[in-house]
Amino acid sequence: MVVLLVAMLGLVAAALLAFWPSREDRADGSGPDRAAGHAEPSAPSSLEGVLTAQLIAGEITRGQYLRALAQIAARDEERHPMAVPW
């Protein structure tokens, strides 16, 4: 029972810390403007990341995405075959 109580208190404390407003989020106007939105994420560093970004943006369909991933997997298997030990 004590373990459950300590675990619940820990979860509540973690949730409070996660959602506690930071100095930048205060309403006094000194922080960044919330209405402006978030900064653009950095460019994807892998081919899979580029394909995922294109899928989310609607530039390619789900079928095209899956075919491209299958081609990447086949090419990777060809270049670096996995040797399974006996």
Side-chain angles (χ1 to χ4, degrees), residues 2 6-7 17 23 28 32-33 40 46 51 53 63 72 79 83:
V2 173
V6 170
L17 288 174
R23 291 181 182 160
D28 62 358
D33 187 16
E40 287 293 320
S46 66
L51 286 171
I72 292 170
R79 290 180 182 171

Side-chain angles (χ1 to χ4, degrees), residues 7-85:
M8 286 298 292
L9 288 175
L11 287 173
V12 170
L16 286 174
L17 288 174
F19 293 107
W20 194 267
S22 64
R23 291 181 182 160
E24 292 86 20
D25 294 338
R26 291 191 180 146
D28 62 358
S30 62
D33 187 16
R34 281 287 210 179
H38 298 290
E40 287 293 320
S42 62
S45 62
S46 66
L47 182 55
E48 291 88 352
V50 171
L51 286 171
T52 304
Q54 288 177 343
L55 179 66
I56 291 171
E59 296 173 5
I60 61 174
T61 65
R62 184 174 186 261
Q64 291 171 325
Y65 173 76
L66 292 175
R67 279 192 299 276
L69 283 183
Q71 290 173 352
I72 292 170
R75 187 175 2 160
D76 187 44
E77 177 62 28
E78 206 173 276
R79 290 180 182 171
H80 307 288
M82 182 182 289
V84 179

